Amino acid sequence: MFTGIIESIGKIKSLKKEAENLHIEVSSQLAAELKIDQSISHNGVCLTVVEVNNESYVITAIKETLDKSNIGLLKVGDSVNLERAMKIDDRLDGHIVQGHVDQTGTCKTIESQNGSWLFTFEYNASLNNVTIEKGSITINGVSLTVVNSQKNAFSVAIIPYTYEHTNFNTFEIGTVINLEFDVIGKYVKRITEGYL
């Protein structure tokens, strides 16, 4: 369980393909504090630490993860948003984030707004995920509030702190991002559609 409040930025140090799995070495200031078997959110994807080195650690992504997220698109040198699992006695500063990416989306527009930025993203609405105005959304692991909700698109406003301390500052038109839709919204949608 996560909150969507990014702790640190990691850098991809190496990528090693093994059958359908991808072993990813991440350089991070968090490495010294990690233990094998810990869960960490990488761009919103919950992955397990399998090896810890001095200034880096290794995680493994399986085919399901590679198919449903942008993890398989990572290259050496890319930045990833990192968040360790929530402690039970911590404040929930973002919203309830499971680290289970629902689908990817694409950056459609980036508008500078005199000190902040408005990012608009498109996603495949046929997968039955929805956003609502002022609802929560997780983009690459970052907990954000939805603006301009549409059937297959939405926007988010990004303040300077978020822009500087996440990989939002690397986004361009066409960047593929991970989306986790609000878990409470997903349950409500299933119930109202009659799937109990």
Side-chain angles (χ1 to χ4, degrees):
M1 189 74 67
F2 304 93
T3 67
I5 304 300
I6 302 305
E7 284 187 82
S8 183
I9 295 287
K11 291 276 187 192
I12 302 302
K13 185 174 181 181
S14 69
L15 299 164
K16 181 182 174 188
K17 192 83 170 144
E18 182 183 31
E20 292 192 333
N21 296 336
L22 182 63
H23 304 291
I24 305 164
E25 186 176 7
V26 182
S27 294
S28 169
Q29 63 187 22
L30 298 177
E33 302 174 39
L34 299 180
K35 297 176 187 169
I36 290 173
D37 279 344
Q38 279 187 308
S39 295
I40 300 183
S41 170
H42 299 77
N43 279 355
V45 179
C46 178
L47 295 166
T48 302
V49 175
V50 297
E51 181 183 327
V52 179
N53 304 307
N54 288 335
E55 296 176 354
S56 65
Y57 63 91
V58 178
I59 50 168
T60 301
I62 62 172
K63 185 177 187 305
E64 171 83 1
T65 301
L66 300 174
D67 288 345
K68 288 193 173 176
S69 72
N70 67 8
I71 296 296
L73 302 176
L74 292 172
K75 301 179 297 298
V76 171
D78 281 354
S79 299
V80 287
N81 294 328
L82 302 177
E83 180 189 0
R84 288 176 288 182
M86 179 176 72
K87 292 180 183 177
I88 200 69
D89 62 343
D90 273 358
R91 290 184 179 91
L92 185 60
D93 290 320
H95 72 283
I96 296 170
V97 177
Q98 294 180 298
H100 303 156
V101 169
D102 294 303
Q103 66 183 93
T104 57
T106 305
C107 185
K108 182 180 174 185
T109 64
I110 303 169
E111 299 173 40
S112 179
Q113 298 197 315
N114 196 24
S116 65
W117 294 264
L118 188 72
F119 286 79
T120 300
F121 299 96
E122 287 183 324
Y123 62 95
N124 181 352
S126 71
L127 296 177
N128 219 18
N129 291 307
V130 298
T131 61
I132 61 166
E133 198 76 17
K134 304 291 190 291
S136 296
I137 187 77
T138 306
I139 300 173
N140 273 7
V142 181
S143 173
L144 295 161
T145 301
V146 172
V147 188
N148 301 328
S149 176
Q150 301 169 31
K151 182 173 181 175
N152 69 333
F154 65 91
S155 301
V156 291
I158 301 298
I159 62 172
Y161 183 89
T162 303
Y163 188 83
E164 292 164 13
H165 291 87
T166 69
N167 62 9
F168 263 84
N169 58 40
T170 67
F171 290 6
E172 301 172 344
I173 306 305
T175 295
V176 176
I177 48 90
N178 292 327
L179 294 171
E180 181 182 329
F181 295 81
D182 181 48
V183 67
I184 297 170
K186 287 188 280 191
Y187 276 110
V188 170
K189 190 170 193 315
R190 291 273 315 237
I191 291 167
T192 59
E193 290 176 345
Y195 300 111
L196 299 176

